[in-house]
């Protein structure tokens, strides 16, 4: 069967695969559109698996908001160029919308959700095959109301914050969300800091303060250590941090002044915690040229 340009275009419109890939698939399947589409899908999955180990540290944060809950999703790519594409952003939004609608138990369950044309993971693999980069849904969170208002703050598409209040106004909730975006607290308050985090910090402080502690009475050393631990807790907790819009008061003082209380919060920043591969562009070009 002759593989016409019209047939190739029809397969491309159906699958979004590259023209050359569509032509090869049609040639391999004798011009059968259904078989060619299936071959492209299977080839795409194989390509996606091969690219799955490559570092994807760029990307976007997408948000879906409802009356009772808000969902945040981080979708990663290898380059910032890809993350700025409309298809990439649309897929991130679709993932967030489905996360909010279905509230899956974990990432595996999220990726199995029906996205209208296969599962989310099948769509992700198809994008990998078309674009040629590793693309991953790294994490998601669905924050539900907890008695009070629920607010969010987005800094472009790179940082997303959701705050659920036990009580307090919507204005305070948004101010707190903005503060979290800027100051990146790790925990809500001192009670929420895990003991292993405190133990690790104590070891660091002890090592750094060994010379200062030499020859001092034990009770003085203990007070010095306690002061440094309190400072550390203030720095990493939401309620202990100076409020970003008024550093003369802590967030705890802000909340008390407005009879407000935070139940929980989530903050996502693109690529945080991912070790990016640093390459020398000139060396990379030389390597590809075989020099």
């Amino acid at each position: 069967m002759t593989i016409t340009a019209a047939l190739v275009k029809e397969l491309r419109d159906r699958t979004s695969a590259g023209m050359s890939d569509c032509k090869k698939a049609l040639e391999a399947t004798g011009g059968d559109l259904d078989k060619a589409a299936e071959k492209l899908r299977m080839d795409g999955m194989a390509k996606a698996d091969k690219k799955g180990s490559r570092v994807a540290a760029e990307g976007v944060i997408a948000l879906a908001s409802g009356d009772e809950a808000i969902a945040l999703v981080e979708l990663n790519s290898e380059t910032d160029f890809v993350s700025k594409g409309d298809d990439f952003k649309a897929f991130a939004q679709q993932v967030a919308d489905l996360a909010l609608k279905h509230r899956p138990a974990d990432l595996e369950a999220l990726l199995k959700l029906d996205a209208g044309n296969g599962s989310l993971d099948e769509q992700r693999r198809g994008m990998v095959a078309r674009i040629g980069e590793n693309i991953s849904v790294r994490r998601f969170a669905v924050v539900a109301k907890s008695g009070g208002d629920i607010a969010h703050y987005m800094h472009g598409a790179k940082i997303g914050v959701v705050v659920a209040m036990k009580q307090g106004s919507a204005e305070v909730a948004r101010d707190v969300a903005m503060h979290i975006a800027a100051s990146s607290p790790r925990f809500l308050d001192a009670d929420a800091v895990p003991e292993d985090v405190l133990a690790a910090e104590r070891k660091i402080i002890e090592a750094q303060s060994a010379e200062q502690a030499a020859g001092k009475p034990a009770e003085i050393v203990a007070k010095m250590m306690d002061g440094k631990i309190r400072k550390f807790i203030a720095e990493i907790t939401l309620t202990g941090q100076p409020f970003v819009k008024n550093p003369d008061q802590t967030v705890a003082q802000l909340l008390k002044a407005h009879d407000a209380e935070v139940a929980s919060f989530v903050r996502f920043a693109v690529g945080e915690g991912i070790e990016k591969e640093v390459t020398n562009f000139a060396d990379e070009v030389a390597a590809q040229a075989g020099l």
Side-chain angles (χ1 to χ4, degrees):
M1 178 181 178
T2 303
I3 308 300
T4 64
L7 195 60
V8 173
K9 182 179 184 303
E10 185 176 352
L11 182 59
R12 176 179 168 78
D13 291 342
R14 179 170 166 178
T15 64
S16 297
M19 295 291 282
S20 62
D21 289 335
C22 288
K23 184 179 180 183
K24 289 176 183 177
L26 285 166
E27 289 172 345
T29 57
D32 188 309
L33 272 171
D34 290 336
K35 290 181 179 178
E38 178 64 15
K39 176 174 173 54
L40 284 170
R41 190 177 75 86
M42 298 305 294
D43 289 349
M45 288 185 177
K47 288 180 182 178
D49 289 341
K50 287 181 181 178
K51 293 179 172 67
S53 62
R54 287 168 22 182
V55 176
E58 301 296 337
V60 297
I61 306 297
L63 178 144
S65 179
D67 292 335
E68 298 298 322
I70 297 175
L72 278 181
V73 166
E74 180 181 356
L75 181 68
N76 296 125
S77 60
E78 292 179 46
T79 64
D80 190 49
F81 175 79
V82 166
S83 72
K84 291 178 178 176
D86 290 340
D87 286 350
F88 187 89
K89 292 177 183 177
F91 181 62
Q93 188 59 55
Q94 183 181 32
V95 177
D97 290 340
L98 287 174
L100 178 63
K101 180 179 179 179
H102 297 285
R103 304 193 192 186
D106 52 32
L107 193 58
E108 182 180 0
L110 173 64
L111 291 173
K112 288 180 180 178
L113 292 176
D114 182 11
N117 186 23
S119 68
L120 281 176
D121 195 48
E122 287 172 335
Q123 289 208 9
R124 179 194 67 82
R125 291 183 177 203
M127 288 181 67
V128 173
R130 292 195 306 273
I131 295 172
E133 283 193 15
N134 185 22
I135 293 171
S136 65
V137 181
R138 183 186 180 198
R139 53 183 172 169
F140 79 99
V142 180
V143 181
K145 275 192 170 183
S146 189
D149 276 297
I150 185 168
H152 69 271
Y153 178 80
M154 294 290 291
H155 185 72
K158 296 301 182 182
I159 298 175
V161 174
V162 180
V163 177
M165 306 291 289
K166 287 185 180 178
Q167 60 187 45
S169 69
E171 183 181 355
V172 171
R174 181 163 174 79
D175 277 348
V176 171
M178 189 182 301
H179 169 91
I180 292 168
S183 300
S184 189
R186 293 169 59 189
F187 307 101
L188 175 58
D189 53 27
D191 292 338
V193 181
E195 184 53 43
D196 62 330
V197 172
L198 292 176
E201 185 63 20
R202 282 193 188 96
K203 287 184 179 179
I204 294 172
I205 292 173
E206 286 173 358
Q208 292 175 341
S209 306
E211 188 174 329
Q212 292 178 316
K216 288 185 173 63
E219 61 271 18
I220 298 298
V221 174
K223 286 182 179 179
M224 184 174 68
M225 293 288 295
D226 288 344
K228 290 187 176 183
I229 287 293
R230 284 195 298 272
K231 182 181 177 183
F232 169 72
I233 291 173
E235 288 172 347
I236 65 171
T237 57
L238 172 62
T239 55
Q241 291 178 338
F243 179 42
V244 71
K245 291 175 72 173
N246 179 12
D248 291 335
Q249 69 175 169
T250 64
V251 174
Q253 291 168 337
L254 168 76
L255 294 171
K256 185 176 181 180
H258 291 84
D259 193 25
E261 185 177 357
V262 176
S264 64
F265 70 87
V266 172
R267 180 188 187 274
F268 285 174
V270 170
E272 61 185 350
I274 300 176
E275 184 140 358
K276 297 184 183 182
E277 184 178 357
V278 179
T279 58
N280 182 293
F281 183 71
D283 290 346
E284 186 176 333
V285 171
Q288 290 181 2
L291 301 177

